[in-house]
Amino acid sequence: MDYFSTRGRAPRLGFADVLLGGLAPDGGLYLPSVWPTISGAEIAAFAAMPYADVAADVVSRFTGDDIPGDLLLSMCRDAYAGFGHKAVAPLVQSGPNAWILELFHGPTLAFKDLAMQLLARLMDHVLGARGRRATIVGATSGDTGSAAIEAFRGSSKVDVFILFPKGRTSEVQQRQMTTVADENVHAVAIEGSFDDCQALVKALFARDRFRERVAMAAINSINWARIVAQTAYYFSAAAALGAPGRKVSFTVPTGNFGDIFAGHVARRMGLPIDRLVIATNRNDILARTFAEGRYEVRGVVPTESPSMDIQISSNFERLLSEALDHDGAAVTRLMHGLAQSGAFTIPDGAMERIRGEFSADRADEAETAEAMAAAWNRSGYLADPHTAVALAVAGRIPVSDVPMVTLATANPAKFPAAVEEATGVRPPLPAHLRDLFERQERYTVLANDVRALEHHIEARARAATLEA
Ligand SMILES: *Cc1c(COP(=O)(O)O)cnc(C)c1O
């Protein structure tokens, strides 16, 4: 299995190199050169298999010979063994032919754990085999950072630098990142927005000397291994609801377009998905793009669903590449337009193809709070604000024979203030996080400045020290 860059001007790589590399040297994102398929009989068999085994099967289609199959299976079993629910990603019925797919039973209470726990094991294995170290630099709007820190803490091969927008994450999210004592963990509060943090990571990646000196690796949702790890739960959920004999639809609370792109991958692999619905909060660049055919960045507005307070949805480039028949020059032109003027217009043919496979809608703050209140009042279900954005959007779609699955991306206890305001109920933190507010915080505040960040990392990354 080899991978090409969406911009078409980088060498093709195998899975292990894509895993460590993140962004392609031409600025593009990697996609597999063919879509592996999973047959109807194999999908049907998933219904009776443990989650970890389904994940190993789905992921194995993308790893080629780089990860032996039995090792991948033991990594998956290990990655999901610590989850707080036996089913790992359980389905809960929420209405007539409506279901919630709970993806928040991992250690940091958001769906990011599903990918990150596996990613850390994959990276450790590949680095060990090559006798190398790496430095992870990741931007987070809250949940990626804590999931990465939890997955990589104590690693002898990897140092983790996590940039978060100062004061824009929830208190629980911040403390999950800043109270970890392991020396290989470095939390950095940036004076700026999440998009600023993400731009800093991209700028560091573009600095060849720095990238090579610290062996920089990416754990953001542009990392292909994260996407494929997430593809697994589309299969497990659909199989549980009767696929391949029955089609299933999904509504996905969307920020960086990683989670919903994993649904697109599942569909490409043969999973009979009827609708993939993108749900955004007030930061609705994707919903506007679907309405207008024009991708246009506006300022980020802080909301109660901060992990979706994003204007530049990085993984959307992968979908553009698909819709443009992998024409690297065309993708490059659009992305240059974005960099220069903050906007691009999607050619009509490509936009039609995208609309044929996805739809998009948004929920504002009042609608999100209403969705939380409605879920609580109707069925005693506490949804976090991200999940509630998707519940609000899914709720507008008429009930049909096709089951609608809404992805629940965070435990409500991660956002207690917003949940309490909407429902009157304050969700308690699970036992392993009860003393979170008594723990000592440790983090550095830096300006939104790439040089300052570069110095900060070079002074601390073990990969750099070794080679100096
Ligand atoms: C990251 C995140 C999202 C958005 O997922 P993307 O893959 O970035 O689209 C939604 N909800 C929660 C709770 C998240 O942490």
Side-chain angles (χ1 to χ4, degrees):
M1 171 71 68
D2 69 351
Y3 293 83
F4 66 93
S5 163
T6 49
R7 310 248 174 128
R9 290 180 46 206
R12 291 186 173 228
L13 296 180
F15 179 81
D17 289 314
V18 166
L19 173 75
L20 295 181
L23 207 61
D26 62 0
L29 278 63
Y30 290 107
L31 277 171
S33 53
V34 290
W35 291 113
T37 54
I38 296 190
S39 73
E42 288 170 316
I43 293 169
F46 285 163
M49 281 163 59
Y51 182 81
D53 296 28
V54 174
D57 190 331
V58 172
V59 174
S60 74
R61 318 278 172 144
F62 292 94
T63 51
D65 298 330
D66 286 1
I67 315 286
D70 51 347
L71 182 63
L72 181 60
L73 181 59
S74 66
M75 279 183 201
C76 287
R77 288 182 176 166
D78 192 42
Y80 302 125
F83 276 52
H85 195 291
K86 240 178 39 225
V88 181
L91 279 166
V92 177
Q93 185 150 20
S94 58
N97 225 7
W99 305 77
I100 291 176
L101 177 60
E102 292 187 342
L103 302 171
F104 54 70
H105 294 287
T108 72
L109 314 182
F111 85 99
K112 306 286 199 301
D113 288 324
L114 280 145
M116 211 64 83
Q117 286 290 324
L118 182 58
L119 184 72
R121 286 164 175 83
L122 288 166
M123 276 198 181
D124 251 28
H125 168 72
V126 171
L127 289 169
R130 297 180 176 189
R132 280 185 45 201
R133 281 190 167 150
T135 304
I136 283 169
V137 186
T140 186
S141 51
D143 296 325
T144 300
S146 49
I149 285 170
E150 186 61 34
F152 286 95
R153 63 190 290 180
S155 166
S156 60
K157 302 182 189 76
V158 179
D159 293 308
V160 196
F161 293 82
I162 295 297
L163 320 183
F164 63 94
K166 182 163 175 272
R168 301 218 192 168
T169 63
S170 84
E171 186 71 3
V172 174
Q173 285 179 315
Q174 172 166 329
R175 290 189 148 267
Q176 283 182 312
M177 294 187 276
T178 57
T179 60
V180 174
D182 300 71
E183 278 181 15
N184 71 322
V185 167
H186 308 270
V188 182
I190 297 290
E191 314 256 19
S193 68
F194 168 69
D195 286 324
D196 293 330
C197 294
Q198 192 159 251
L200 283 171
V201 174
K202 282 197 174 173
L204 283 182
F205 251 108
R207 297 188 168 218
D208 297 339
R209 197 195 63 87
F210 173 83
R211 188 184 63 238
E212 278 156 30
R213 189 157 128 81
V214 304
M216 187 171 166
I219 41 81
N220 282 91
S221 62
I222 56 163
N223 189 302
W224 180 250
R226 278 186 58 186
I227 307 264
V228 292
Q230 292 169 206
T231 300
Y233 49 72
Y234 287 90
F235 277 98
S236 73
L241 292 172
R246 198 176 181 207
K247 284 191 168 191
V248 179
S249 293
F250 293 91
T251 300
V252 184
T254 301
N256 229 344
F257 210 77
D259 203 3
I260 192 149
F261 193 79
H264 171 80
V265 172
R267 183 191 252 158
R268 282 282 186 274
M269 295 174 77
L271 188 67
I273 294 179
D274 188 37
R275 307 176 64 148
L276 279 174
V277 183
I278 298 161
T280 73
N281 66 22
R282 283 182 60 200
N283 297 292
D284 58 352
I285 185 164
L286 291 168
R288 284 186 283 111
T289 302
F290 273 68
E292 297 154 20
R294 188 172 161 75
Y295 188 94
E296 188 185 315
V297 176
R298 297 187 187 153
V300 178
V301 194
T303 72
E304 299 288 2
S305 43
S307 299
M308 295 154 66
D309 290 347
I310 290 173
Q311 279 292 319
I312 300 182
S313 288
S314 304
N315 278 290
F316 193 64
E317 180 169 341
R318 287 194 161 109
L319 184 63
L320 277 179
S321 174
E322 291 267 286
L324 292 162
D325 289 319
H326 304 150
D327 178 344
V331 173
T332 305
R333 268 197 306 281
L334 295 184
M335 299 319 289
H336 280 176
L338 182 66
Q340 268 152 30
S341 62
F344 58 78
T345 299
I346 301 173
D348 286 346
M351 196 61 229
E352 247 162 64
R353 287 169 79 171
I354 292 173
R355 285 197 187 107
E357 300 198 316
F358 294 84
S359 51
D361 202 355
R362 53 164 255 159
D364 64 21
E365 293 291 87
E367 290 164 326
T368 304
E370 263 167 47
M372 278 190 271
W376 174 249
N377 294 333
R378 263 192 239 128
S379 43
Y381 191 85
L382 279 184
D384 98 288
H386 303 78
T387 306
V389 166
L391 287 172
V393 166
R396 294 178 202 140
I397 298 169
V399 177
S400 77
D401 295 344
V402 180
M404 173 56 82
V405 177
T406 297
L407 271 52
T409 48
N411 187 314
K414 232 174 160 168
F415 304 94
V419 174
E420 183 172 24
E421 190 172 324
T423 64
V425 181
R426 193 170 182 89
L429 281 169
H432 73 281
L433 291 170
R434 286 272 154 77
D435 66 341
L436 188 64
F437 284 83
E438 279 107 66
R439 296 181 198 167
Q440 182 75 34
E441 281 196 282
R442 182 173 66 89
Y443 64 101
T444 309
V445 180
L446 289 181
N448 176 16
D449 172 52
V450 68
R451 295 210 53 102
L453 180 61
E454 188 176 344
H455 288 143
H456 181 78
I457 295 172
E458 279 196 326
R460 289 164 183 80
R462 287 173 296 174
T465 328
L466 273 186
E467 284 155 28

